[in-house]
Amino acid sequence: MFAPIADLSRARILISNDDGINAPGIKVLERIARSLSDDVWVVAPDSEQSAAGHSLTLRRPLRIKPVSERHFCVDGTPTDAVLLGVNHVLTDKKPDLVLSGINRGANMGDDVTYSGTVAAAMEATILGIPSIALSQFLRPDQPVHWSTAEHWGPQVIRKVCQVGWGLNVLMNVNFPDVLPAQVSGIEVVRQGKRKIGDELIERRDPRGEPYVWIGAQRSEEQGVPGTDIEAVMRGAVAVTPLCVDLTHGATMDALKPLFG
C-alpha cells in the first residue's frame, strides 16, 4: 500500500501532463500544487501529446531542456516526461506525489486507455509513487471552466492523500463543466463506458488521394448511475481509482483447470 501523505506541505510534488508544458491546464495545476507545498517541480512534454497513451520512446534519443527554475520540457511522451523527471531530474530526492494534468477535456470511461494524462500518472505508479490524474470536462466551442478545477482541486488532492491505496492503483479525477459554486459535490465512482474515435471523416487531399481522419467520440451520454460519466454530467467531481494490473482474476481462475 502507498502510505497516506499526512502533511502535503512537506511533500515533493512532480507535475506532468499530455497537453504540453505551455498548456493552460498545467499552469492551473502548478498553482494548485503550490498551494499545497513549496517543493513543486514540472517536467512535461514540449508539445501536445494527447491520446499518446502509455507509450515510451525507444527508437531515438530524448532531449530534456530546462525552461526555468524547476521547469523542464521533454521532446517525448507523457510517460517519457515522468520517467525522466523521476530518474533524471529528481535523483537527489524522488517525488512523494505525482500530479498529471489538468487535461483540457475529460478522461472518463474508455478514454483512460488512450489518455496521456492518465498514462503519466500510470508511469509514476509503476515507479512506486502515488499519483493522481486530473482532467477538466468541457463542451465544444465553450470556455473552459479552469476555475472549477482550481477551486476544487486542492480539496480533492488533500482528501485522497489522507488514505493509502494499493501499489497498483492511481487516482483519476474529472471536474464537471460548471462554475465552481454549481458543483454538486465530490463522488467516488467507477469507470464508465465511452469510446473515442467512432466518427471517421473521409476526405481527399489536393492530389485526389483518399485519407481518413479519426474524429470525435460519439455524442455525450449521461451514462449509468455510479459511473464517472454520469457524475460529471450531473455536475459532480468524479474520483475513480484505476488499477494498473489488468489481470482479470475470475477468468484466470476459470482457465486454470483447463490446463491442469
Side-chain angles (χ1 to χ4, degrees):
M1 296 284 289
F2 288 122
I5 305 176
D7 186 1
L8 279 169
S9 67
R10 302 178 64 181
R12 169 167 281 192
I13 300 176
L14 173 63
I15 293 174
S16 195
N17 73 347
D18 74 353
D19 286 334
I21 193 154
N22 294 315
I26 202 169
K27 300 181 189 304
V28 174
L29 185 55
E30 185 175 359
R31 290 197 295 271
I32 291 172
R34 292 195 180 281
S35 75
L36 304 172
S37 172
D38 292 328
D39 193 3
V40 177
W41 297 73
V42 178
V43 183
D46 62 0
S47 60
E48 184 178 347
Q49 299 288 321
S50 295
H54 194 208
S55 57
L56 192 65
T57 301
L58 299 176
R59 299 291 183 179
R60 63 172 179 84
L62 289 167
R63 300 186 187 278
I64 182 166
K65 297 180 181 179
V67 176
S68 59
E69 185 178 4
R70 297 189 181 184
H71 292 72
F72 299 81
C73 67
V74 177
D75 66 338
T77 67
T79 302
D80 296 330
V82 171
L83 181 63
L84 292 181
V86 172
N87 289 332
H88 181 75
V89 176
L90 300 178
T91 53
D92 63 316
K93 178 181 180 291
K94 291 191 174 183
D96 302 294
L97 177 68
V98 170
L99 302 176
S100 178
I102 294 170
N103 191 65
R104 186 180 183 277
N107 281 301
M108 306 183 293
D110 296 303
D111 298 354
V112 302
T113 62
Y114 303 101
S115 169
T117 304
V118 172
M122 184 182 295
E123 183 65 14
T125 301
I126 293 171
L127 292 172
I129 302 164
S131 61
I132 306 172
L134 305 104
S135 303
Q136 175 63 57
F137 180 53
L138 57 85
R139 299 182 189 277
D141 304 318
Q142 297 295 319
V144 183
H145 286 119
W146 294 118
S147 59
T148 301
E150 188 158 4
H151 176 85
W152 288 89
Q155 181 182 162
V156 173
I157 294 168
R158 285 193 185 98
K159 285 184 177 294
V160 166
C161 288
Q162 287 175 5
V163 299
W165 63 79
L167 296 177
N168 284 324
V169 174
L170 63 97
M171 296 294 169
N172 188 37
V173 178
N174 283 278
F175 300 98
D177 181 41
V178 297
L179 294 172
Q182 297 173 325
V183 171
S184 62
I186 303 169
E187 300 181 15
V188 179
V189 289
R190 70 182 186 275
Q191 179 186 348
K193 292 292 294 179
R194 184 183 75 163
K195 186 184 181 307
I196 198 169
D198 279 2
E199 179 187 351
L200 298 180
I201 302 169
E202 299 182 42
R203 296 285 189 271
R204 291 187 179 272
D205 66 20
R207 297 182 181 274
E209 296 294 330
Y211 67 86
V212 177
W213 191 286
I214 296 177
Q217 63 214 10
R218 55 177 175 252
S219 59
E220 296 297 343
E221 301 171 354
Q222 292 298 321
V224 178
T227 64
D228 49 8
I229 300 170
E230 190 272 339
V232 168
M233 297 296 286
R234 190 166 30 81
V237 177
V239 178
T240 304
L242 300 177
C243 187
V244 174
D245 184 353
L246 302 180
T247 306
H248 190 259
T251 303
M252 186 174 68
D253 291 341
L255 288 173
K256 281 181 178 179
L258 301 179
F259 297 95

